[in-house]
Amino acid sequence: MAWSPKFTQHALCKRIPTWPYADPKDRHVVSYDEYVKTGGYEGLRKALTMKPGDVTEAVKKSMLRGRGGAGFPTGLKWTFLPKLDEGQDDLSKRGPRYLAINADESEPGTFKDRLLMDFDPHLVLEGIAICCYACRLDKAFIFIRGEYHHQAHVLEKAIAEAYDNGIFGPKGLINSNANTGGAKFTVDCYVHRGAGAYICGEETALLEGLEGKRGWPRIKPPFPAVEGLFGKPTIINNVETLAHLPSIVENGPEWFMAQGVESTVGGPPSYGTKLMGVSGHVNRPGVYEFELGIPLRTLIEDYCGGIRGGKKYKAAIPGGVSMGILGTDQYEAELDFDIGRKYNVLGLGTACPTVFDEDTDMVAVARNISRFFKHESCGQCTPCREGSGWLYQLMTRIEEGHAKTKDLDMALEIATSMGSMPGTTICGLADGNNWALRTIMNKFRDEFETRVSPSHVAVKMTIGAAAHG
């Protein structure tokens, strides 16, 4: 049965012309006035008529899963915050609580959050305001990657508009008479520009960067919801995750749950739409918004114009290089959160497929990925710091034709012994390195074997009295 979308009305790209429903050439930055005229901030206004706990329950019921890569249920994450007692809405009585927005987006092949920050920044700001109201978070920090210069300026201008029009600040909309949650509540929002480190995409490394320290991961526990930014309770959400909140609150969780697919492996469902940034060997790369569950073949053939130059599909990275690779026989893979268990990859990740045609040298792909992880390892954990360097040396040796068969086994052995899942590192950077190289080597083993010389290890066996001679 052919896949077909249940909805053609976008939640995230409502104001951003996007294929196949509109021409991207018509894109422009949506100002505050245009945003409001097209229904913007209605989700926030509705949220302000609800008690904060009811907003959290609506998000929890929707089963919105984080769009930053891990796919953890958003509403459930919010409930990890320490509960506030009666009267603790007063900041002077309870201390600050923070929201950190992960806009780092340094994963190779990922550029979907950039679309929102480029053209519809108020959608992100409305989601931030809803989250802060629901969780009682006093300050929001948008941690944006250092290379996103233009996007930082767009966000700063939009934040200024939000202050001028009563969204943020001491006289903000969230402090209006519509607030039925008890004491009146205000939020401040800031943009914090990173220094361009991939590791700051990891949530605790992001917190270190926000505090002005070297960006590298913290040991957990304590977890950020209990002891995060400056030692205070902190929620960390991705840009796209927050951008879903206005439509969920405005239309209800049932509306969101009507999109996407149920789990087929016993895990949480994959509800809602997802931004999918397609790059690589396709005729029409770009960012698309589709419901979770769309098959990779359908996305490429029906919406991206097929493989470039009329060539055949060979492989694809489903969502950032750290997720591993889908093989030639996995072209029908459904892009939902079950993809990891069904197709032997780390997970869906950012759902931004990088597509490779039949002429791609997979050994070169593995070597290039290993170079990236070697460069971006923060160096805190020995298995990652040393192992990433060893893997890069082995991949280079294999690509140049100087390796032996035993080097293939050595590379796999190194890869599988580094990462937070084997329990040898603090964060998952080494896991990304591990899964990327391991899946490429296992699914395209023949290409690696043709580049190495056979290893021959002589084994001398003696028996009987000769063994003691």
Side-chain angles (χ1 to χ4, degrees), residues 27-245:
R27 291 174 179 172
H28 61 278
V29 179
V30 177
S31 66
Y32 174 86
D33 291 338
E34 181 181 353
Y35 185 72
V36 171
K37 288 178 181 177
T38 53
Y41 288 112
E42 289 303 315
L44 175 60
R45 291 180 184 277
K46 181 177 179 181
L48 296 174
T49 67
M50 304 164 64
K51 292 186 179 299
D54 294 337
V55 179
T56 298
E57 282 302 312
V59 175
K60 188 176 178 181
K61 182 179 179 181
S62 74
M63 292 300 296
L64 169 65
R65 298 178 66 173
R67 281 6 188 190
F72 193 83
T74 303
L76 180 60
K77 177 188 277 192
W78 291 2
T79 63
F80 296 160
L81 284 165
K83 297 293 186 291
L84 292 176
D85 296 328
E86 191 71 27
Q88 280 192 308
D89 269 341
D90 187 342
L91 178 60
S92 63
K93 296 180 181 179
R94 62 169 168 79
R97 289 150 64 102
Y98 300 113
L99 172 64
I101 300 93
N102 191 340
D104 192 64
E105 197 165 52
S106 297
E107 182 75 21
T110 299
F111 47 94
K112 46 94 178 177
D113 291 340
R114 176 177 178 172
L115 181 78
L116 298 174
M117 295 184 285
D118 263 330
F119 301 109
D120 200 2
H122 282 282
L123 179 64
V124 181
L125 298 185
E126 183 177 5
I128 290 171
I130 291 172
C131 177
C132 289
Y133 173 76
C135 298
R136 287 332 211 201
L137 309 174
D138 311 283
K139 287 182 172 58
F141 297 90
I142 304 173
F143 188 98
I144 190 168
R145 68 177 292 190
E147 294 86 349
Y148 276 2
H149 304 291
H150 172 71
Q151 291 74 23
H153 291 309
V154 172
L155 282 172
E156 286 167 347
K157 182 178 179 180
I159 290 172
E161 291 179 328
Y163 271 89
D164 290 342
N165 289 278
I167 305 301
F168 297 124
K171 298 180 179 179
L173 175 63
I174 51 178
N175 198 34
S176 71
N177 292 330
N179 184 333
T180 62
K184 297 301 181 276
F185 189 70
T186 62
V187 171
D188 285 304
C189 184
Y190 308 94
V191 173
H192 180 100
R193 300 177 69 169
Y198 170 76
I199 193 63
C200 285
E202 196 276 337
E203 61 178 19
T204 59
L206 183 150
L207 296 180
E208 290 286 291
L210 275 175
E211 292 178 359
K213 303 173 185 174
R214 177 177 180 174
W216 63 7
R218 299 174 179 175
I219 295 175
K220 295 179 284 189
F223 293 94
V226 176
E227 188 176 321
L229 186 62
F230 305 117
K232 301 299 181 181
T234 305
I235 288 295
I236 306 169
N237 282 145
N238 170 258
V239 166
E240 184 187 349
T241 306
L242 293 168
H244 271 290
L245 298 181

Side-chain angles (χ1 to χ4, degrees), residues 383-439:
C384 180
R385 181 184 67 245
E386 301 300 323
S388 60
W390 296 344
L391 286 173
Y392 176 59
Q393 291 179 34
L394 285 168
M395 291 301 111
T396 302
R397 190 186 307 168
I398 294 169
E399 184 183 26
E400 293 174 348
H402 300 151
K404 296 185 180 296
T405 307
K406 66 179 182 180
D407 291 323
L408 301 182
D409 298 329
M410 185 184 299
L412 288 173
E413 182 179 351
I414 293 171
T416 51
S417 63
M418 55 189 279
S420 58
M421 283 186 283
T424 60
T425 60
I426 293 174
C427 86
L429 184 144
D431 294 279
N433 196 353
N434 168 358
W435 278 85
L437 297 188
R438 185 153 51 92
T439 55

